[in-house]
Amino acid sequence: MQKIKYALMPAVAPDVPLRETPAGVMDAPFEHNDDTTMMTVTKNILLAHGRTVQVLRKNCPDAKVGIASTGDCCLPKDGSPEEVEKAQAKSLSHYPGYIMSNTWWADPVFLGRYPEWAREKFGDIIPPCSALSRIPAGGIEM
């Protein structure tokens, strides 16, 4: 039996289960979901990834586990502090939409909470962060 040496878990590939369009979030082709439905989808994706990490660590204790964010990363126009700050702020915001946001997926995993902008935008419909969705003890190796 071949052992897994490296496991790079996509934080989420939003364009696979979800599609964000100018008209809103689509699930299956031409099916649009409201924010409440998308909260359930988000919760289940995070739980599935968390459970996968647990299974990998249990069955492949020597595996190196990592995460690959699929959100947009904005680069500065130049190396000036102002441009670097603008690029960082945009990369960590809900631009262009929350399904593609780095912080939407990474904050629950690494910080155990959703980003402040998400709590302000969604209020009570935002799902609680489960301990299962967080990176377990040992962190990530790559």
Side-chain angles (χ1 to χ4, degrees):
M1 178 157 105
Q2 187 176 1
K3 289 189 175 185
I4 296 173
K5 291 185 180 183
Y6 299 96
L8 191 58
M9 301 297 298
V12 69
D15 57 336
V16 174
L18 314 169
R19 203 52 70 150
E20 189 156 19
T21 69
V25 177
M26 281 194 324
D27 190 357
F30 309 109
E31 181 181 323
H32 296 272
N33 291 307
D34 60 14
D35 287 334
T36 302
T37 301
M38 297 316 300
M39 296 303 117
T40 302
V41 170
T42 294
K43 175 183 154 189
N44 289 328
I45 288 172
L46 289 170
L47 289 173
H49 284 132
R51 181 68 180 128
T52 301
V53 170
Q54 287 182 338
V55 169
L56 281 169
R57 292 203 189 278
K58 178 182 175 189
N59 294 292
C60 307
D62 296 329
K64 303 227 181 286
V65 178
I67 190 166
S69 177
T70 59
D72 288 346
C73 181
C74 302
L75 301 175
K77 292 179 183 176
D78 56 50
S80 69
E82 297 82 17
E83 286 299 317
V84 170
E85 186 175 331
K86 277 176 33 181
Q88 182 180 29
K90 203 168 189 180
S91 293
L92 299 177
S93 72
H94 58 286
Y95 160 86
Y98 69 94
I99 294 302
M100 291 300 293
S101 168
N102 290 304
T103 55
W104 178 250
W105 300 105
D107 282 16
V109 171
F110 291 105
L111 304 176
R113 60 176 168 73
Y114 285 93
E116 187 60 38
W117 64 260
R119 292 192 297 272
E120 290 171 8
K121 178 175 176 129
F122 300 115
D124 292 340
I125 68 168
I126 202 164
C129 285
S130 165
L132 183 59
S133 66
R134 291 211 51 197
I135 292 293
I140 59 174
E141 294 84 24
M142 53 183 208

